[in-house]
Amino acid sequence: MNMTKLQKFQAVALRATVACIVASGLAITSLAASAAGKQPNIIFIMSDDHAANAISSYGSRLSSVVKTPNIDRLANEGVRLNSMFAANSICTPSRASILTGQYSHTNGVRTLDDVIDPAGDNLAKQLKQAGYNTAIIGKWHLKSEPSGFDYYNVLPGQGRYHNPRLKEMGDSWVDGDVGGKVYKGYVSDVITDLALDWVSQRDADAPFFLMLHHKAPHGLWEPPKRYEDLYADVFIPEPESLYKRGNHGPTDDVIIDGKKGQQFGSSVSRRMEGRGLVTRMLKDRWPTGTLELDTYDKDTVTSAAYQKYLKDYLRTAASVDDSVGKVLDYLDQQGLADNTIVIYTSDQGMLLGEHDYYDKRWIYEESIQMPFLIRYPGVVPKQQTSDALFANIDIAPTLLEFAGQSAPALIQGKSFKTALENPAQAVGDDSLYYRYWLHMAHHYVPAHYGLRTSDYKLVFFYGLALDANGSMPASTPPYWELYDLKNDPREMNNLIKDPAYQKIALDLKEQLMQVKTEVGDDDSQYPELQALAEKGWSL
């Protein structure tokens, strides 16, 4: 890192911050609180596509072989949330929702092709106004130049796993996957070292807010050399739904350009043939080499592809656990642990073979669930969990409340600070509103929206591109799905036409439409979609 440049920008940023606070009448309160240690430092560590199932403290089928001791340390020394969900399970929109506290339709970042407005308000700007030094280091993925931060050093686009390039504040900003300085080493290690360098050079008289954002374990997976052989002789437990997908939509066929196209489900080997996981593994485009097979039996190919996919994924994710350990050790060594909130999360979940899928996007649990672990000694109790329902739009107002600030009116989420302080009595959101806009792009997932309550999930796959940037224009058949999460937590049985669930389905649909109106996403500008939604279960 160019420390001279960093110090220069910190000095400029500090002067600008103090001037802004004085002008707003917050200087005496905020700086006095900081001096008294009342405003905690905040380190927000976020990975990309790290499923809760791949973190051992969550106790999934993988926990018998997968260990994440450093992330688990946060669970042992703090609180683990079991029901934190993304309101739009894809990288760019989820990151925008975390930063703004708003749904995708409100902040304007609905798809991967949308750009966050740098003039808009965000969490970093609010904390900066409250006297915090702010920085983001690592993955940004929101296209426009980061705003609200005293310092940034971010990956262009997705970034590289080995010898990554990062774009540092002060260099000429160009949107997109261009520019940046090359740093030797593995991306998770580089990002961690740069982040701790910034902390060590910060203004020690003010609290700090650091967003430490990892690329890992986003595909395609390239693990560090030290983990190339991790799990080499281990059989990774497979989900039952890898082979038995369950009863989902009314048909497995999708319509592309008026013709019957690829299938939603079937086995991994059939579904992904010609465009995805197995094809890449069978050819030389896979980063860690080809999938070597003596037979092309369907189940054999599926299992072999799964084992290779999971091992590469988990080897890459292990570098993130290393990073968390390094951060925690640094805080201990520097005497910062007691007054620093440390959060570990991911921008969304990841399907690790469940429902015969990989990637995310779908409203199914493994896709939308975000791991969320938090440590704040003396405020957040140790070794506690909560099943209360929260969404990624709730994160910004929560951190603002911890910093002693009120959330601005434009934030749609609600603080869950009291739930973290007393998990046993936690009261979460009544329901989660979910919407995926990027129709049929990349992984052939149809556009859909839905409602998740503590007991049920109702989903409408409306299958229209509408005006969502990057969506494929051809429509797909609309259909509804309903799941009883208490009796069918793995969402294997679609009950939408079950006579015993008709009243529940109608009640949930009424709730869903009410929530859509309340959050300002009633689709009044899309009469075609409104007409489809009104047809009920006859689709």
Side-chain angles (χ1 to χ4, degrees), residues 282-339:
L282 291 171
K283 296 181 179 179
D284 59 5
R285 295 195 303 272
W286 194 255
T288 57
T290 58
L291 182 64
E292 302 294 339
L293 295 172
D294 296 326
T295 175
Y296 289 95
D297 170 74
K298 180 187 68 174
D299 288 346
T300 301
V301 171
T302 297
S303 180
Y306 175 84
Q307 291 297 317
K308 183 166 177 53
Y309 156 43
L310 259 290
K311 289 178 182 181
D312 282 353
Y313 172 89
L314 294 169
R315 289 162 179 161
T316 305
S319 70
V320 177
D321 189 69
D322 289 346
S323 170
V324 174
K326 190 167 187 177
V327 170
L328 296 179
D329 288 346
Y330 175 88
L331 294 176
D332 289 340
Q333 294 161 7
Q334 299 299 316
L336 294 170
D338 287 347
N339 195 42

Short mmCIF file of all heavy atoms in Angstrom, two decimals, residues 282-339:
data_model
loop_
_atom_site.label_atom_id
_atom_site.label_comp_id
_atom_site.label_asym_id
_atom_site.label_seq_id
_atom_site.Cartn_x
_atom_site.Cartn_y
_atom_site.Cartn_z
N LEU A 282 -15.61 -30.80 -17.39
CA LEU A 282 -15.20 -31.82 -18.33
C LEU A 282 -14.25 -31.27 -19.40
O LEU A 282 -13.69 -32.03 -20.18
CB LEU A 282 -16.42 -32.45 -19.00
CG LEU A 282 -17.30 -33.31 -18.08
CD1 LEU A 282 -18.58 -33.71 -18.79
CD2 LEU A 282 -16.54 -34.55 -17.61
N LYS A 283 -14.11 -29.96 -19.43
CA LYS A 283 -13.24 -29.33 -20.42
C LYS A 283 -12.12 -28.59 -19.71
O LYS A 283 -12.05 -28.53 -18.49
CB LYS A 283 -14.06 -28.41 -21.32
CG LYS A 283 -15.10 -29.16 -22.15
CD LYS A 283 -15.88 -28.22 -23.06
CE LYS A 283 -16.90 -28.99 -23.88
NZ LYS A 283 -17.68 -28.11 -24.77
N ASP A 284 -11.24 -27.98 -20.46
CA ASP A 284 -10.05 -27.37 -19.86
C ASP A 284 -10.30 -25.97 -19.32
O ASP A 284 -9.34 -25.30 -18.91
CB ASP A 284 -8.91 -27.35 -20.89
CG ASP A 284 -9.26 -26.58 -22.15
OD1 ASP A 284 -10.36 -25.99 -22.20
OD2 ASP A 284 -8.44 -26.58 -23.07
N ARG A 285 -11.55 -25.51 -19.29
CA ARG A 285 -11.80 -24.17 -18.81
C ARG A 285 -11.92 -24.13 -17.28
O ARG A 285 -12.00 -23.06 -16.70
CB ARG A 285 -13.09 -23.60 -19.44
CG ARG A 285 -13.00 -23.40 -20.93
CD ARG A 285 -14.13 -22.50 -21.42
NE ARG A 285 -15.45 -23.01 -21.09
CZ ARG A 285 -16.15 -23.85 -21.84
NH1 ARG A 285 -15.62 -24.32 -22.96
NH2 ARG A 285 -17.35 -24.24 -21.47
N TRP A 286 -11.97 -25.27 -16.63
CA TRP A 286 -12.11 -25.28 -15.17
C TRP A 286 -10.78 -24.91 -14.54
O TRP A 286 -9.74 -25.50 -14.85
CB TRP A 286 -12.57 -26.65 -14.69
CG TRP A 286 -13.05 -26.61 -13.28
CD1 TRP A 286 -12.39 -27.08 -12.18
CD2 TRP A 286 -14.25 -26.04 -12.81
NE1 TRP A 286 -13.12 -26.85 -11.05
CE2 TRP A 286 -14.28 -26.21 -11.41
CE3 TRP A 286 -15.32 -25.40 -13.42
CZ2 TRP A 286 -15.32 -25.76 -10.61
CZ3 TRP A 286 -16.36 -24.95 -12.65
CH2 TRP A 286 -16.36 -25.14 -11.26
N PRO A 287 -10.75 -23.91 -13.62
CA PRO A 287 -9.48 -23.40 -13.10
C PRO A 287 -8.58 -24.46 -12.47
O PRO A 287 -7.36 -24.37 -12.56
CB PRO A 287 -9.91 -22.36 -12.06
CG PRO A 287 -11.27 -21.94 -12.49
CD PRO A 287 -11.90 -23.15 -13.09
N THR A 288 -9.16 -25.43 -11.79
CA THR A 288 -8.33 -26.42 -11.09
C THR A 288 -8.21 -27.73 -11.87
O THR A 288 -7.87 -28.76 -11.31
CB THR A 288 -8.91 -26.71 -9.70
OG1 THR A 288 -10.26 -27.14 -9.83
CG2 THR A 288 -8.84 -25.48 -8.83
N GLY A 289 -8.49 -27.67 -13.15
CA GLY A 289 -8.31 -28.86 -13.98
C GLY A 289 -9.62 -29.53 -14.32
O GLY A 289 -10.68 -29.21 -13.80
N THR A 290 -9.54 -30.49 -15.22
CA THR A 290 -10.74 -31.16 -15.71
C THR A 290 -11.21 -32.24 -14.75
O THR A 290 -10.48 -32.71 -13.89
CB THR A 290 -10.47 -31.79 -17.09
OG1 THR A 290 -9.38 -32.70 -16.96
CG2 THR A 290 -10.13 -30.73 -18.12
N LEU A 291 -12.46 -32.63 -14.95
CA LEU A 291 -13.06 -33.72 -14.18
C LEU A 291 -12.75 -35.02 -14.91
O LEU A 291 -13.19 -35.23 -16.04
CB LEU A 291 -14.57 -33.50 -14.09
CG LEU A 291 -15.39 -34.50 -13.29
CD1 LEU A 291 -14.99 -34.47 -11.83
CD2 LEU A 291 -16.87 -34.18 -13.44
N GLU A 292 -11.96 -35.88 -14.28
CA GLU A 292 -11.55 -37.12 -14.91
C GLU A 292 -12.52 -38.24 -14.56
O GLU A 292 -12.71 -38.57 -13.39
CB GLU A 292 -10.13 -37.50 -14.44
CG GLU A 292 -9.08 -36.44 -14.73
CD GLU A 292 -8.84 -36.25 -16.22
OE1 GLU A 292 -9.16 -37.16 -17.00
OE2 GLU A 292 -8.33 -35.16 -16.60
N LEU A 293 -13.14 -38.83 -15.58
CA LEU A 293 -14.14 -39.88 -15.37
C LEU A 293 -13.91 -41.04 -16.33
O LEU A 293 -13.50 -40.85 -17.47
CB LEU A 293 -15.55 -39.32 -15.59
CG LEU A 293 -16.04 -38.26 -14.61
CD1 LEU A 293 -17.36 -37.69 -15.08
CD2 LEU A 293 -16.17 -38.84 -13.22
N ASP A 294 -14.21 -42.25 -15.84
CA ASP A 294 -14.15 -43.44 -16.68
C ASP A 294 -15.52 -43.84 -17.19
O ASP A 294 -15.65 -44.74 -18.03
CB ASP A 294 -13.55 -44.62 -15.90
CG ASP A 294 -12.11 -44.37 -15.49
OD1 ASP A 294 -11.39 -43.71 -16.29
OD2 ASP A 294 -11.71 -44.81 -14.40
N THR A 295 -16.54 -43.21 -16.66
CA THR A 295 -17.91 -43.53 -17.06
C THR A 295 -18.73 -42.26 -17.10
O THR A 295 -18.38 -41.27 -16.44
CB THR A 295 -18.55 -44.52 -16.07
OG1 THR A 295 -19.92 -44.72 -16.43
CG2 THR A 295 -18.51 -43.96 -14.65
N TYR A 296 -19.79 -42.28 -17.88
CA TYR A 296 -20.68 -41.13 -17.95
C TYR A 296 -22.09 -41.49 -17.46
O TYR A 296 -23.07 -40.90 -17.86
CB TYR A 296 -20.73 -40.58 -19.38
CG TYR A 296 -19.43 -39.91 -19.74
CD1 TYR A 296 -18.43 -40.61 -20.41
CD2 TYR A 296 -19.16 -38.61 -19.35
CE1 TYR A 296 -17.22 -40.01 -20.71
CE2 TYR A 296 -17.95 -38.00 -19.65
CZ TYR A 296 -16.99 -38.71 -20.34
OH TYR A 296 -15.78 -38.11 -20.60
N ASP A 297 -22.13 -42.48 -16.57
CA ASP A 297 -23.37 -42.79 -15.88
C ASP A 297 -23.88 -41.53 -15.18
O ASP A 297 -23.10 -40.81 -14.55
CB ASP A 297 -23.13 -43.90 -14.86
CG ASP A 297 -24.31 -44.10 -13.94
OD1 ASP A 297 -25.32 -44.65 -14.38
OD2 ASP A 297 -24.19 -43.66 -12.77
N LYS A 298 -25.17 -41.26 -15.29
CA LYS A 298 -25.74 -40.00 -14.82
C LYS A 298 -25.41 -39.72 -13.37
O LYS A 298 -24.89 -38.64 -13.03
CB LYS A 298 -27.27 -40.03 -14.99
CG LYS A 298 -27.97 -38.76 -14.52
CD LYS A 298 -29.49 -38.91 -14.56
CE LYS A 298 -29.94 -39.91 -13.50
NZ LYS A 298 -31.42 -39.99 -13.41
N ASP A 299 -25.69 -40.66 -12.48
CA ASP A 299 -25.46 -40.42 -11.06
C ASP A 299 -23.97 -40.34 -10.74
O ASP A 299 -23.56 -39.58 -9.84
CB ASP A 299 -26.11 -41.51 -10.21
CG ASP A 299 -27.63 -41.40 -10.20
OD1 ASP A 299 -28.15 -40.33 -10.61
OD2 ASP A 299 -28.29 -42.36 -9.79
N THR A 300 -23.15 -41.08 -11.44
CA THR A 300 -21.71 -41.03 -11.22
C THR A 300 -21.16 -39.66 -11.60
O THR A 300 -20.35 -39.08 -10.87
CB THR A 300 -21.00 -42.11 -12.05
OG1 THR A 300 -21.50 -43.40 -11.67
CG2 THR A 300 -19.49 -42.07 -11.81
N VAL A 301 -21.61 -39.14 -12.74
CA VAL A 301 -21.17 -37.81 -13.17
C VAL A 301 -21.64 -36.75 -12.19
O VAL A 301 -20.89 -35.84 -11.81
CB VAL A 301 -21.68 -37.50 -14.59
CG1 VAL A 301 -21.41 -36.04 -14.96
CG2 VAL A 301 -21.03 -38.42 -15.60
N THR A 302 -22.89 -36.87 -11.76
CA THR A 302 -23.43 -35.91 -10.80
C THR A 302 -22.62 -35.89 -9.51
O THR A 302 -22.24 -34.83 -9.01
CB THR A 302 -24.90 -36.25 -10.49
OG1 THR A 302 -25.68 -36.13 -11.67
CG2 THR A 302 -25.47 -35.31 -9.42
N SER A 303 -22.33 -37.06 -8.96
CA SER A 303 -21.58 -37.15 -7.72
C SER A 303 -20.15 -36.62 -7.89
O SER A 303 -19.65 -35.86 -7.06
CB SER A 303 -21.54 -38.59 -7.21
OG SER A 303 -20.82 -38.68 -6.01
N ALA A 304 -19.51 -37.00 -8.97
CA ALA A 304 -18.13 -36.56 -9.21
C ALA A 304 -18.07 -35.05 -9.38
O ALA A 304 -17.16 -34.39 -8.85
CB ALA A 304 -17.56 -37.26 -10.44
N ALA A 305 -19.03 -34.49 -10.12
CA ALA A 305 -19.06 -33.04 -10.31
C ALA A 305 -19.30 -32.34 -8.97
O ALA A 305 -18.67 -31.31 -8.67
CB ALA A 305 -20.15 -32.66 -11.31
N TYR A 306 -20.20 -32.89 -8.18
CA TYR A 306 -20.48 -32.30 -6.86
C TYR A 306 -19.24 -32.31 -5.98
O TYR A 306 -18.90 -31.31 -5.33
CB TYR A 306 -21.62 -33.06 -6.19
CG TYR A 306 -21.89 -32.60 -4.78
CD1 TYR A 306 -22.70 -31.50 -4.53
CD2 TYR A 306 -21.32 -33.26 -3.69
CE1 TYR A 306 -22.94 -31.07 -3.23
CE2 TYR A 306 -21.55 -32.84 -2.39
CZ TYR A 306 -22.36 -31.74 -2.17
OH TYR A 306 -22.58 -31.31 -0.89
N GLN A 307 -18.54 -33.44 -5.93
CA GLN A 307 -17.36 -33.54 -5.08
C GLN A 307 -16.29 -32.54 -5.49
O GLN A 307 -15.69 -31.87 -4.64
CB GLN A 307 -16.81 -34.97 -5.12
CG GLN A 307 -17.70 -36.02 -4.47
CD GLN A 307 -17.88 -35.78 -2.98
OE1 GLN A 307 -16.94 -35.46 -2.26
NE2 GLN A 307 -19.11 -35.92 -2.50
N LYS A 308 -16.07 -32.41 -6.78
CA LYS A 308 -15.05 -31.47 -7.24
C LYS A 308 -15.48 -30.03 -6.98
O LYS A 308 -14.69 -29.20 -6.52
CB LYS A 308 -14.74 -31.68 -8.72
CG LYS A 308 -13.63 -30.77 -9.23
CD LYS A 308 -13.11 -31.20 -10.58
CE LYS A 308 -12.05 -30.25 -11.09
NZ LYS A 308 -10.95 -30.01 -10.16
N TYR A 309 -16.72 -29.73 -7.29
CA TYR A 309 -17.25 -28.38 -7.05
C TYR A 309 -17.14 -28.00 -5.58
O TYR A 309 -16.61 -26.93 -5.23
CB TYR A 309 -18.70 -28.33 -7.54
CG TYR A 309 -19.60 -27.29 -6.92
CD1 TYR A 309 -19.18 -25.97 -6.70
CD2 TYR A 309 -20.91 -27.61 -6.57
CE1 TYR A 309 -20.03 -25.03 -6.15
CE2 TYR A 309 -21.77 -26.67 -6.02
CZ TYR A 309 -21.32 -25.37 -5.81
OH TYR A 309 -22.16 -24.44 -5.26
N LEU A 310 -17.62 -28.87 -4.69
CA LEU A 310 -17.61 -28.54 -3.26
C LEU A 310 -16.19 -28.41 -2.72
O LEU A 310 -15.91 -27.51 -1.92
CB LEU A 310 -18.39 -29.59 -2.47
CG LEU A 310 -19.80 -29.20 -2.05
CD1 LEU A 310 -19.78 -28.12 -0.99
CD2 LEU A 310 -20.62 -28.73 -3.24
N LYS A 311 -15.30 -29.26 -3.14
CA LYS A 311 -13.94 -29.20 -2.62
C LYS A 311 -13.24 -27.91 -3.06
O LYS A 311 -12.56 -27.25 -2.27
CB LYS A 311 -13.14 -30.43 -3.04
CG LYS A 311 -13.60 -31.69 -2.30
CD LYS A 311 -12.86 -32.93 -2.72
CE LYS A 311 -13.42 -34.15 -1.96
NZ LYS A 311 -12.70 -35.40 -2.32
N ASP A 312 -13.41 -27.54 -4.32
CA ASP A 312 -12.83 -26.27 -4.78
C ASP A 312 -13.46 -25.10 -4.04
O ASP A 312 -12.76 -24.16 -3.63
CB ASP A 312 -13.04 -26.12 -6.29
CG ASP A 312 -12.07 -26.95 -7.11
OD1 ASP A 312 -11.15 -27.55 -6.51
OD2 ASP A 312 -12.21 -27.01 -8.34
N TYR A 313 -14.75 -25.14 -3.87
CA TYR A 313 -15.47 -24.07 -3.16
C TYR A 313 -14.98 -23.96 -1.71
O TYR A 313 -14.66 -22.87 -1.22
CB TYR A 313 -16.97 -24.37 -3.22
CG TYR A 313 -17.84 -23.46 -2.38
CD1 TYR A 313 -18.34 -22.27 -2.89
CD2 TYR A 313 -18.19 -23.82 -1.08
CE1 TYR A 313 -19.16 -21.45 -2.12
CE2 TYR A 313 -18.99 -23.01 -0.30
CZ TYR A 313 -19.48 -21.82 -0.83
OH TYR A 313 -20.29 -21.02 -0.06
N LEU A 314 -14.92 -25.08 -1.02
CA LEU A 314 -14.55 -25.08 0.40
C LEU A 314 -13.09 -24.72 0.60
O LEU A 314 -12.72 -24.09 1.60
CB LEU A 314 -14.86 -26.45 1.01
CG LEU A 314 -16.34 -26.81 1.08
CD1 LEU A 314 -16.52 -28.29 1.44
CD2 LEU A 314 -17.09 -25.92 2.06
N ARG A 315 -12.22 -25.11 -0.32
CA ARG A 315 -10.81 -24.72 -0.24
C ARG A 315 -10.65 -23.21 -0.37
O ARG A 315 -9.83 -22.60 0.31
CB ARG A 315 -10.02 -25.43 -1.34
CG ARG A 315 -9.86 -26.92 -1.12
CD ARG A 315 -9.47 -27.63 -2.41
NE ARG A 315 -9.28 -29.07 -2.19
CZ ARG A 315 -9.31 -29.98 -3.16
NH1 ARG A 315 -9.51 -29.60 -4.42
NH2 ARG A 315 -9.14 -31.25 -2.87
N THR A 316 -11.45 -22.64 -1.24
CA THR A 316 -11.42 -21.19 -1.41
C THR A 316 -11.97 -20.49 -0.18
O THR A 316 -11.41 -19.49 0.30
CB THR A 316 -12.22 -20.80 -2.66
OG1 THR A 316 -11.72 -21.52 -3.80
CG2 THR A 316 -12.13 -19.31 -2.94
N ALA A 317 -13.07 -21.01 0.36
CA ALA A 317 -13.69 -20.42 1.55
C ALA A 317 -12.77 -20.49 2.76
O ALA A 317 -12.84 -19.63 3.65
CB ALA A 317 -15.01 -21.12 1.85
N ALA A 318 -11.88 -21.48 2.81
CA ALA A 318 -10.97 -21.61 3.95
C ALA A 318 -10.07 -20.39 4.09
O ALA A 318 -9.66 -20.03 5.19
CB ALA A 318 -10.12 -22.87 3.80
N SER A 319 -9.78 -19.72 2.97
CA SER A 319 -8.95 -18.52 3.03
C SER A 319 -9.67 -17.38 3.74
O SER A 319 -9.02 -16.52 4.36
CB SER A 319 -8.55 -18.08 1.61
OG SER A 319 -9.67 -17.56 0.89
N VAL A 320 -10.99 -17.36 3.66
CA VAL A 320 -11.77 -16.34 4.36
C VAL A 320 -11.74 -16.59 5.86
O VAL A 320 -11.63 -15.66 6.66
CB VAL A 320 -13.21 -16.30 3.83
CG1 VAL A 320 -14.05 -15.30 4.61
CG2 VAL A 320 -13.23 -15.98 2.34
N ASP A 321 -11.83 -17.84 6.25
CA ASP A 321 -11.73 -18.16 7.68
C ASP A 321 -10.38 -17.73 8.23
O ASP A 321 -10.28 -17.20 9.34
CB ASP A 321 -11.95 -19.65 7.89
CG ASP A 321 -12.08 -20.01 9.37
OD1 ASP A 321 -13.09 -19.62 9.98
OD2 ASP A 321 -11.15 -20.63 9.91
N ASP A 322 -9.32 -17.92 7.44
CA ASP A 322 -8.00 -17.44 7.85
C ASP A 322 -8.03 -15.94 8.09
O ASP A 322 -7.44 -15.43 9.07
CB ASP A 322 -6.96 -17.74 6.77
CG ASP A 322 -6.62 -19.22 6.67
OD1 ASP A 322 -6.97 -19.98 7.59
OD2 ASP A 322 -6.00 -19.60 5.67
N SER A 323 -8.69 -15.22 7.19
CA SER A 323 -8.76 -13.76 7.30
C SER A 323 -9.44 -13.34 8.59
O SER A 323 -8.96 -12.43 9.30
CB SER A 323 -9.51 -13.18 6.10
OG SER A 323 -9.79 -11.81 6.30
N VAL A 324 -10.55 -13.98 8.91
CA VAL A 324 -11.27 -13.64 10.15
C VAL A 324 -10.36 -13.86 11.35
O VAL A 324 -10.31 -13.03 12.28
CB VAL A 324 -12.56 -14.47 10.26
CG1 VAL A 324 -13.23 -14.23 11.62
CG2 VAL A 324 -13.53 -14.11 9.13
N GLY A 325 -9.63 -14.95 11.36
CA GLY A 325 -8.71 -15.21 12.46
C GLY A 325 -7.64 -14.15 12.58
O GLY A 325 -7.30 -13.72 13.70
N LYS A 326 -7.11 -13.71 11.46
CA LYS A 326 -6.07 -12.67 11.48
C LYS A 326 -6.62 -11.36 12.02
O LYS A 326 -5.95 -10.66 12.79
CB LYS A 326 -5.50 -12.48 10.08
CG LYS A 326 -4.26 -11.62 10.04
CD LYS A 326 -3.56 -11.72 8.70
CE LYS A 326 -2.23 -10.99 8.72
NZ LYS A 326 -1.49 -11.12 7.44
N VAL A 327 -7.85 -11.02 11.64
CA VAL A 327 -8.48 -9.79 12.13
C VAL A 327 -8.70 -9.87 13.64
O VAL A 327 -8.39 -8.92 14.38
CB VAL A 327 -9.81 -9.53 11.40
CG1 VAL A 327 -10.58 -8.39 12.07
CG2 VAL A 327 -9.54 -9.19 9.93
N LEU A 328 -9.23 -10.98 14.12
CA LEU A 328 -9.49 -11.13 15.55
C LEU A 328 -8.20 -11.09 16.36
O LEU A 328 -8.14 -10.48 17.44
CB LEU A 328 -10.27 -12.41 15.81
CG LEU A 328 -11.67 -12.48 15.19
CD1 LEU A 328 -12.33 -13.83 15.51
CD2 LEU A 328 -12.54 -11.34 15.67
N ASP A 329 -7.17 -11.74 15.86
CA ASP A 329 -5.88 -11.72 16.56
C ASP A 329 -5.32 -10.30 16.61
O ASP A 329 -4.77 -9.87 17.64
CB ASP A 329 -4.88 -12.64 15.85
CG ASP A 329 -5.20 -14.12 16.06
OD1 ASP A 329 -6.02 -14.43 16.95
OD2 ASP A 329 -4.65 -14.94 15.31
N TYR A 330 -5.46 -9.56 15.53
CA TYR A 330 -4.96 -8.18 15.48
C TYR A 330 -5.68 -7.32 16.52
O TYR A 330 -5.04 -6.54 17.24
CB TYR A 330 -5.17 -7.60 14.08
CG TYR A 330 -4.79 -6.14 13.97
CD1 TYR A 330 -3.49 -5.75 13.66
CD2 TYR A 330 -5.75 -5.14 14.18
CE1 TYR A 330 -3.14 -4.40 13.57
CE2 TYR A 330 -5.41 -3.79 14.09
CZ TYR A 330 -4.11 -3.44 13.78
OH TYR A 330 -3.77 -2.10 13.70
N LEU A 331 -6.99 -7.46 16.61
CA LEU A 331 -7.75 -6.67 17.59
C LEU A 331 -7.29 -6.99 19.01
O LEU A 331 -7.18 -6.09 19.86
CB LEU A 331 -9.24 -6.94 17.43
CG LEU A 331 -9.87 -6.48 16.11
CD1 LEU A 331 -11.33 -6.91 16.06
CD2 LEU A 331 -9.76 -4.96 15.96
N ASP A 332 -7.03 -8.27 19.28
CA ASP A 332 -6.54 -8.66 20.61
C ASP A 332 -5.17 -8.03 20.88
O ASP A 332 -4.94 -7.47 21.97
CB ASP A 332 -6.43 -10.19 20.71
CG ASP A 332 -7.78 -10.87 20.77
OD1 ASP A 332 -8.78 -10.19 21.11
OD2 ASP A 332 -7.85 -12.08 20.47
N GLN A 333 -4.29 -8.11 19.92
CA GLN A 333 -2.93 -7.61 20.09
C GLN A 333 -2.90 -6.09 20.30
O GLN A 333 -2.05 -5.58 21.04
CB GLN A 333 -2.08 -8.00 18.89
CG GLN A 333 -1.87 -9.50 18.75
CD GLN A 333 -1.43 -9.91 17.35
OE1 GLN A 333 -1.17 -9.05 16.50
NE2 GLN A 333 -1.37 -11.21 17.10
N GLN A 334 -3.81 -5.39 19.64
CA GLN A 334 -3.83 -3.94 19.70
C GLN A 334 -4.74 -3.38 20.80
O GLN A 334 -4.89 -2.16 20.92
CB GLN A 334 -4.27 -3.37 18.33
CG GLN A 334 -3.36 -3.73 17.19
CD GLN A 334 -1.95 -3.22 17.37
OE1 GLN A 334 -1.74 -2.07 17.78
NE2 GLN A 334 -0.97 -4.07 17.10
N GLY A 335 -5.36 -4.26 21.57
CA GLY A 335 -6.24 -3.81 22.64
C GLY A 335 -7.52 -3.17 22.15
O GLY A 335 -8.11 -2.33 22.84
N LEU A 336 -7.98 -3.58 20.97
CA LEU A 336 -9.17 -3.00 20.36
C LEU A 336 -10.40 -3.88 20.47
O LEU A 336 -11.50 -3.45 20.11
CB LEU A 336 -8.89 -2.70 18.88
CG LEU A 336 -7.85 -1.63 18.57
CD1 LEU A 336 -7.53 -1.63 17.08
CD2 LEU A 336 -8.35 -0.26 19.01
N ALA A 337 -10.24 -5.09 20.93
CA ALA A 337 -11.33 -6.07 20.87
C ALA A 337 -12.57 -5.64 21.66
O ALA A 337 -13.70 -5.82 21.20
CB ALA A 337 -10.85 -7.43 21.34
N ASP A 338 -12.38 -5.08 22.83
CA ASP A 338 -13.51 -4.79 23.71
C ASP A 338 -14.44 -3.72 23.16
O ASP A 338 -15.62 -3.71 23.50
CB ASP A 338 -13.00 -4.38 25.10
CG ASP A 338 -12.45 -5.55 25.88
OD1 ASP A 338 -12.69 -6.70 25.47
OD2 ASP A 338 -11.77 -5.32 26.89
N ASN A 339 -13.92 -2.79 22.35
CA ASN A 339 -14.77 -1.72 21.84
C ASN A 339 -14.93 -1.80 20.33
O ASN A 339 -15.11 -0.79 19.66
CB ASN A 339 -14.21 -0.34 22.22
CG ASN A 339 -15.25 0.75 22.03
OD1 ASN A 339 -16.41 0.59 22.37
ND2 ASN A 339 -14.83 1.88 21.47
#
